[in-house]
Every structure is written in structure tokens, then in C-alpha cells.
Amino acid sequence: MATGRAVSILPKLLCDAPPPGAAVRELPGPGRTLDVQVRAGTETQPAIAATLAALTGLTARTGPAALTAR
């Protein structure tokens, strides 16, 4: 890519800060759905709650996506 003779397709999660001069284009399509499953009653445990919050923050930053905790 650095020579201007290549194309790369990366998930939005990996492309938070593209290198200078890189052209970033959205691909058409529905995006991504992230399904998270936790044992009933464990979603308030600190580690699990922090993970769910971090994933929710990522989906908010990266555009249309869905996070469903079950």
C-alpha cells in the first residue's frame, strides 16, 4: 500500500488511525453483528461488565453495528 500499488481490505476495528496518505473507503453492506453470550446473572460481575462496556464502546465508535448480550 505504501507504494500506491496495492489495495487492502481491513475491518474497521483495525483501522482506527489510517496512515497518512491512505484513502479509506466504506464498503457497502450491512456491517457486522457481534453476539456476546454470558451466563445468566454474570453480566454485572466486574470483568464481564467491563468487557461488555468496552465492546459497546467499540460499536459506538465504529459505526452501525449491533451488540447483543445474552
Side-chain angles (χ1 to χ4, degrees):
M1 282 183 25
T3 63
R5 298 184 181 141
V7 173
S8 182
I9 298 175
L10 299 172
K12 198 180 269 190
L13 290 173
L14 293 178
C15 201
D16 246 0
V24 178
R25 304 284 187 264
E26 293 282 331
L27 293 177
R32 168 183 306 198
T33 299
L34 181 59
D35 220 0
V36 178
Q37 297 185 10
V38 297
R39 198 173 14 215
T42 63
E43 61 276 355
T44 58
Q45 290 181 3
I48 294 174
T51 301
L52 294 174
L55 292 171
T56 301
L58 282 175
T59 61
R61 272 196 354 241
T62 58
L67 172 64
T68 306
R70 296 184 197 170

